[in-house]
Amino acid sequence: MENDRHTLIHGPLFSRRIPLDPGNAASRISAYIYGNILVLTALVPVVTSDEHVGILVVLGTTVSTFIAHSFAETVGDSVRQRRAATMSDRVRELRNSVPILSSAVLPCAILVTGLLGWLEPRTAQIFAEVVVLVRIGGIVFVIGRLRGEDPGRASVVVAVLLTLVATTVVVLKIALSH
């Protein structure tokens, strides 16, 4: 048990040598897509200025989503397992939710360039939005790798389609909630 906890806390989030089991891999991919869609949903309606580029909005959305997602997954897992969640279960769900946090890193770094004046704030925002869309579509290649498949033309088509679906989801979320 202690060794499992140590591995959960200190082991790699993803390793080519030690592949994730399908359940954890699926959970992380789900968190990755969810996090990216919510980052994009936070980015799109932000009105940028020289002083406000939306970093706090993106960070707040990401951190609150990470906490909510980890909690919800832990509760859901306890129902699936028909027992109370253990510390190991909680740590596993926190680790599986890390892709939500990673979804904000690159967009926030890009937004910082707008804050520092290296890019116009609106240009930085658009660039950050495009990067998130590319990240969402790119998950197709990660999924293929987890399945042991080589990328091909079909992967590119599916990536583009996934990006279009994600864009539609974001537009609908913004239209319905803002």
Side-chain angles (χ1 to χ4, degrees):
M1 177 67 156
E2 185 60 37
N3 190 31
D4 289 343
R5 185 177 303 150
H6 184 272
T7 302
L8 277 170
I9 295 172
H10 300 290
L13 288 174
F14 185 82
S15 169
R16 289 177 186 230
R17 291 175 292 137
I18 308 166
L20 290 170
D21 66 86
N24 284 331
S27 198
R28 291 179 191 187
I29 288 168
S30 174
Y32 177 91
I33 292 171
Y34 189 55
N36 278 286
I37 286 174
L38 288 175
V39 165
L40 191 57
T41 302
L43 271 171
V44 170
V46 168
V47 178
T48 58
S49 66
D50 289 339
E51 300 82 30
H52 178 71
V53 294
I55 295 170
L56 294 178
V57 172
V58 172
L59 287 176
T61 298
T62 304
V63 170
S64 63
T65 300
F66 169 76
I67 293 167
H69 186 268
S70 299
F71 175 71
E73 287 295 317
T74 301
V75 171
D77 194 44
S78 72
V79 172
R80 274 189 294 281
Q81 301 295 328
R82 297 180 187 255
R83 61 172 172 73
T86 64
M87 179 58 81
S88 183
D89 294 334
R90 290 183 186 100
V91 171
R92 183 182 60 251
E93 292 307 335
L94 283 171
R95 285 185 56 117
N96 286 345
S97 298
V98 165
I100 292 171
L101 294 176
S102 74
S103 299
V105 174
L106 191 53
C108 284
I110 293 167
L111 292 175
V112 166
T113 66
L115 191 62
L116 296 174
W118 298 348
L119 288 175
E120 290 294 319
R122 182 68 183 135
T123 303
Q125 180 183 4
I126 291 170
F127 185 45
E129 292 166 359
V130 169
V131 164
V132 174
L133 284 171
V134 169
R135 284 175 51 92
I136 292 168
I139 196 65
V140 167
F141 301 102
V142 174
I143 293 168
R145 185 170 142 228
L146 288 170
R147 292 178 178 162
E149 301 167 354
D150 291 328
R153 187 176 13 220
S155 301
V156 174
V157 170
V158 172
V160 169
L161 291 173
L162 182 61
T163 302
L164 291 173
V165 169
T167 303
T168 303
V169 169
V170 169
V171 168
L172 285 171
K173 178 153 179 34
I174 290 169
L176 296 173
S177 65
H178 285 91

